Amino acid sequence: MSHDAPRMPSPATADPASTSPAGTLHTDTVVVGAGRPPREPGRGVNPAVELTSTFSPGGDVGYARVGNPTWSAFETALGELEGGVALVHASGMGAISAGLSLLAPGGTVLAPDQTYNGTEDLLAALAQGTAQVERVHATDTDGFLAALDRLGEGDLLWLESPTNPLMDVVDLPVVLARARERGVTSVVDNTLSTPLLSRPLQLGADVVVHSVTKYLSGHSDVVLGATVVAATARGAALGTRLQRHRTLHGAIAGPLEVFLALRGLRTLTVRFERACANAADLAGRLASHPAVERVRYPGQGAMIAVEVVGGAEAAEAVCEATAVWLHSTSLGGVESQIERRRRHASEPLVVPVNLLRLSVGIEHVDDLWADLDQALSRGVAAGADASAGPGLSASRP
Ligand SMILES: *Cc1c(COP(=O)(O)O)cnc(C)c1O
């Protein structure tokens, strides 16, 4: 895949995710209709927000740390989109913590050399305990295969593709197939791709994790996560462990947040289609901007990373100079967001100091471009001034 790919096909028609895994309905239709209450005279067409901590005896669930009907509606919808059985968690990190709990004591986690910075911190904590953590560059498929051949049951393959924020793409079909052969449990963080671009369970992954905070909710107004397992006996056994982790570690979602997530999910296809089209357009224009050293864009999706001329100072100045683009962390909302990732102390050092992560939203692409163009030009000029004196990179080694 190259960054000058003209325009991705619309997610609605892109293989393999144009129809639901169950078969007949298109994804655009599933996203609108999944998880609704049964049709009954006078009943609401949306799930109720169940604000209760406990339930009368005789139902599926007795206490609301274990389950909630509002969660179930969202879980049904996401499960249909990913082709599996979903659990909602309090945050993406809650879901990731549950996923990492599948590692056996003393086992090995194999992961790309750069992952989401919260995942990095959890992997570092695991490495301080009894676990081994092995890293392979995301695009080094042979490296993954060789490492997997040394692993087996109880070990964990942890993948993110594309990686956040370096936008490196893992060869999921090949790497997941080898994990399956070796009996290694595999988890894929599918936050950046969404089930519209990638359905890892269909490629042999055991668990998909999401930061629902991002594209699935889509409006930067909730923090939530999810795990999804295959609808098989193996998947069900893993799902039981994930649910037990959620219940006992207690990182559970509020029903109001889950209602908002389901509301946001209804428009996922149109939001993502517009955001992806905008990103493809912007990636092409950025490639020839004189203030840009490198564009990282995997040919699809709505995230772009750019390395700007003039180092960290220039990159910070670009963020300050934008008006339409929000200078903020996070991604996947309807609003375009820009951020220099290395401003976070926890960001892996392999991420360049001059890298800006762009989460492309659904505004008009010409407005996005005009704002970015002027910010890049002003930022690089400001960076040139700053580098004459003691700058950001000098004061923060
Ligand atoms: C944001 C993010 C997370 C963490 O999710 P939260 O909802 O913030 O806890 C995990 N993985 C990726 C790829 C993310 O972008």
Side-chain angles (χ1 to χ4, degrees), residues 91-94 96 116 119 160 164 189 191-192 211-214 223-224 331:
S91 61
M93 290 311 297
I96 288 169
Y116 173 68
T119 308
E160 204 180 289
N164 175 6
D189 184 334
T191 301
L192 264 56
S211 171
V212 176
T213 312
K214 314 293 171 55
V223 174
L224 283 175
L331 60 97

Side-chain angles (χ1 to χ4, degrees), residues 133-273:
V133 179
E134 271 192 52
R135 316 303 290 261
V136 172
H137 187 66
T139 61
D140 180 5
T141 306
D142 289 342
F144 272 112
L145 297 182
L148 283 167
D149 285 342
R150 297 188 295 271
L151 303 182
E153 204 113 339
D155 296 322
L156 204 62
L157 171 67
W158 189 278
L159 297 176
E160 204 180 289
S161 182
T163 56
N164 175 6
L166 292 183
M167 307 308 294
D168 290 324
V169 174
V170 178
D171 190 341
L172 289 181
V174 171
V175 175
L176 288 171
R178 182 65 59 89
R180 183 47 64 100
E181 272 166 45
R182 300 289 310 162
V184 174
T185 303
S186 56
V187 184
V188 179
D189 184 334
N190 204 26
T191 301
L192 264 56
S193 292
T194 84
L196 302 185
L197 293 180
S198 179
R199 290 206 179 114
L201 296 178
Q202 295 186 332
L203 305 174
D206 288 308
V207 182
V208 166
V209 303
H210 277 285
S211 171
V212 176
T213 312
K214 314 293 171 55
Y215 292 106
L216 300 182
S217 293
H219 295 76
S220 305
D221 53 6
V222 293
V223 174
L224 283 175
T227 53
V228 197
V229 296
T232 59
R234 181 183 165 91
L238 292 168
T240 300
R241 291 173 64 190
L242 294 169
Q243 182 162 24
R244 189 175 153 79
H245 188 280
R246 180 180 72 175
T247 299
L248 296 180
H249 289 251
I252 59 155
L256 287 169
E257 281 77 1
V258 180
F259 182 86
L260 283 174
L262 183 59
R263 192 184 206 278
L265 190 70
R266 297 296 182 214
T267 55
L268 174 66
T269 52
V270 288
R271 283 188 285 108
F272 200 58
E273 191 172 336

Side-chain angles (χ1 to χ4, degrees), residues 265-397:
L265 190 70
R266 297 296 182 214
T267 55
L268 174 66
T269 52
V270 288
R271 283 188 285 108
F272 200 58
E273 191 172 336
R274 165 68 80 87
C276 289
N278 280 351
D281 193 328
L282 293 177
R285 300 199 213 188
L286 283 163
S288 55
H289 197 286
V292 172
E293 277 175 0
R294 178 173 177 182
V295 178
R296 295 166 175 268
Y297 170 64
Q300 58 179 3
M303 299 293 299
I304 306 170
V306 293
E307 294 166 36
V308 300
V309 174
E313 291 87 353
E316 285 293 342
V318 171
C319 296
E320 291 304 320
T322 59
V324 177
W325 293 75
L326 295 184
H327 182 200
S328 60
T329 197
S330 197
L331 60 97
V334 289
E335 55 286 300
S336 293
Q337 296 175 80
I338 186 168
E339 180 185 39
R340 187 177 77 91
R341 287 301 286 175
R342 281 288 298 280
R343 76 191 175 101
H344 301 288
S346 58
E347 194 68 7
L349 299 181
V350 295
V351 175
V353 292
N354 61 337
L355 180 143
L356 294 176
R357 190 183 69 184
L358 309 181
S359 171
V360 181
I362 69 170
E363 302 92 336
H364 196 288
V365 69
D366 290 340
D367 296 335
L368 292 177
W369 175 248
D371 190 39
L372 202 53
D373 181 26
Q374 64 79 24
L376 281 165
S377 302
R378 282 169 58 192
V380 167
D385 289 349
S387 64
L392 200 57
S393 40
S395 60
R396 283 197 220 159

Side-chain angles (χ1 to χ4, degrees), residues 19-200:
T19 52
S20 74
T24 51
L25 292 177
H26 292 83
T27 304
D28 313 58
T29 310
V30 172
V31 91
V32 171
R36 293 196 186 275
R39 282 190 204 190
E40 284 163 13
R43 181 154 184 178
V45 299
N46 288 311
V49 181
E50 288 272 359
L51 296 172
T52 187
S53 61
T54 187
F55 302 90
S56 300
D60 295 338
V61 179
Y63 187 56
R65 183 155 36 74
V66 180
N68 178 297
T70 316
W71 299 357
S72 305
F74 177 80
E75 290 170 342
T76 300
L78 180 59
E80 283 193 35
L81 285 174
E82 286 286 1
V85 180
L87 292 171
V88 67
H89 297 258
S91 61
M93 290 311 297
I96 288 169
S97 300
L100 286 172
S101 78
L102 299 172
L103 179 70
T108 297
V109 188
L110 174 63
D113 57 358
Q114 184 269 311
T115 62
Y116 173 68
N117 66 20
T119 308
E120 289 295 326
D121 285 354
L122 287 184
L123 291 175
L126 279 174
Q128 291 185 338
T130 62
Q132 283 71 245
V133 179
E134 271 192 52
R135 316 303 290 261
V136 172
H137 187 66
T139 61
D140 180 5
T141 306
D142 289 342
F144 272 112
L145 297 182
L148 283 167
D149 285 342
R150 297 188 295 271
L151 303 182
E153 204 113 339
D155 296 322
L156 204 62
L157 171 67
W158 189 278
L159 297 176
E160 204 180 289
S161 182
T163 56
N164 175 6
L166 292 183
M167 307 308 294
D168 290 324
V169 174
V170 178
D171 190 341
L172 289 181
V174 171
V175 175
L176 288 171
R178 182 65 59 89
R180 183 47 64 100
E181 272 166 45
R182 300 289 310 162
V184 174
T185 303
S186 56
V187 184
V188 179
D189 184 334
N190 204 26
T191 301
L192 264 56
S193 292
T194 84
L196 302 185
L197 293 180
S198 179
R199 290 206 179 114

